[in-house]
Amino acid sequence: MTPRTSRSILQAPSPLLRETVGSIAVFTLDSPATRNALSEAMISALHEALDSIRDDKGVRAVVIAANGPAYSSGHNLKELTARRSDADRGRAYFKHMMKSCSDMMQAIVHLPKPVVAAVQGVATAAGCQLVATCDLAVASDKATFATPGIDIGLFCSTPMVALSRNVPRKHAMHMLLTGEPVSAQRAIELGLVNSVVPAGSERDAAIALANKIAVKSAYTLKVGKEAFYRQADMNLADAYTYAAQVMAENMMARDAEEGIGAFIEKRDPKWHDR
């Protein structure tokens, strides 16, 4: 079966492009002039795009890529600074932007489909946060990662949330306290990305990884992703209690019955996604 491929702009003018490759939705940050900053428009467009495919059974995985030399430079500081002329010196707008960005990041975590970052360039501050928030990440060997807010008097507190859940504590603190960039090779050693590929091949590699996952049971992927993030915040005993309940319930699913039967009978499973 030939993969269906389409390309459309989500809104005009939109900083985000959408391309569908087979069962993979590819969202591309497309504002090279701002280094793909997570502006109010970019955050809104990405959040809306994620919501639009949440219940789409034709989409089984997502890739978040970017155009230009930077994956994302984080928040648009010019956009934020412009609001210092507000009566409250921008406080309400800053709160709004941080919440909007945090909500979008959580939408990735709560999306019942795997999300893969395809990082071609620099990912800093909230851009690094976006990479850390995705379930998986493929990086170009030219990509770099940093949380440099400390250099401008703005600690990367929200990026810290995702970073500290991916990278060992002392390494996360080193990135946050020094602002020093981390190479793609170092990022894989720290667990921030899953693989490093030659520059220019990261998008295809991310789609290939997404396709490898997309052939699994959509129901099982949904159950597993939700359970992974929920148990991560529990103590050991509670995590095992919760995971045991999830697994027992998963055993009752049609796809578990089919998959186990196929394994025993030495044949390929036919998923029902339920």
Side-chain angles (χ1 to χ4, degrees), residues 238-254:
D238 289 345
Y240 268 117
T241 297
Y242 166 69
Q245 293 171 347
V246 171
M247 200 158 189
E249 196 61 33
N250 193 174
M251 279 291 293
M252 302 305 295
R254 179 69 184 87

Side-chain angles (χ1 to χ4, degrees), residues 123-208:
T124 58
C128 185
Q129 177 186 0
L130 179 59
V131 176
T133 299
C134 290
D135 304 307
L136 302 168
V138 175
S140 155
D141 56 12
K142 302 299 183 183
T144 57
F145 306 84
T147 48
I150 192 72
D151 295 331
I152 59 171
L154 183 66
F155 196 81
C156 285
S157 298
T158 45
M160 171 186 69
V161 175
L163 185 67
S164 65
R165 283 163 168 74
N166 282 255
V167 173
R169 181 172 297 184
K170 282 186 168 54
H171 293 295
M173 284 296 285
H174 187 274
M175 290 181 67
L176 291 161
L177 293 174
T178 67
E180 293 176 349
V182 167
S183 69
Q185 190 56 50
R186 181 58 175 157
I188 196 172
E189 293 170 359
L190 296 177
L192 183 57
V193 302
N194 296 89
S195 61
V196 176
V197 298
S201 65
E202 62 284 336
R203 181 180 178 279
D204 288 343
I207 291 174

Side-chain angles (χ1 to χ4, degrees), residues 21 25 58 71 74 102 109-110 114 142 149 153 158 170 181 188 199 204 211 223 247 258 272:
V21 181
Y71 182 73
S102 296
V109 173
H110 297 309
K142 302 299 183 183
T158 45
K170 282 186 168 54
I188 196 172
D204 288 343
N211 273 319
V223 168
M247 200 158 189
E258 165 64 14
H272 300 269

Side-chain angles (χ1 to χ4, degrees), residues 17-55:
L17 301 177
R18 172 172 175 170
E19 182 179 3
T20 304
V21 181
S23 62
I24 311 302
V26 182
F27 299 138
T28 303
L29 311 185
D30 189 42
S31 183
T34 67
R35 297 176 65 80
N36 293 316
L38 294 183
S39 62
E40 186 167 15
M42 182 72 83
I43 291 170
S44 177
L46 186 51
H47 200 159
E48 288 176 10
L50 292 165
D51 287 346
S52 75
I53 53 88
R54 181 180 180 85
D55 300 317

